[in-house]
Amino acid sequence: MLALARSGEGVEHVTAHPYAQPHPVLGLFLLARSLHEAEGRAAGVCRRLLREHRDMSGWALLKAEVPLLAPLGHGPLGPPGMPSTPLDLRRE
């Protein structure tokens, strides 16, 4: 799937979860300026995979959803007690 991604689509990594329930899941890690853009790019790469890879005949894209992740070091991904606002932007 990664080989089908085009350079402007921002796809950096692909992971498969074939035993996810109720359906298998493909995870695309990509860079985009908005949630809408990310979902559109992910859907486009998946549709291309379904069209161009004969082993995927009979499969269909049910939905393309992108979770929002906090920047590294902030929110749930950061160390305990880490403020969600950088120190230089916090109001005293």
Side-chain angles (χ1 to χ4, degrees), residues 50-85:
L50 294 172
R51 264 193 329 267
E52 297 182 16
H53 202 290
R54 66 183 136 153
D55 290 340
M56 300 304 291
S57 65
W59 289 78
L61 176 63
L62 299 180
K63 58 186 169 181
E65 297 177 332
V66 179
L68 291 176
L69 299 176
L72 190 59
H74 298 280
L77 300 177
M82 181 86 168
S84 60
T85 305

Side-chain angles (χ1 to χ4, degrees), residues 23-46:
H23 307 287
V25 172
L26 288 174
L28 279 73
F29 294 78
L30 54 88
L31 298 174
R33 286 176 275 163
S34 70
L35 179 64
H36 180 74
E37 183 179 306
E39 289 174 341
R41 287 181 185 182
V45 175
C46 288

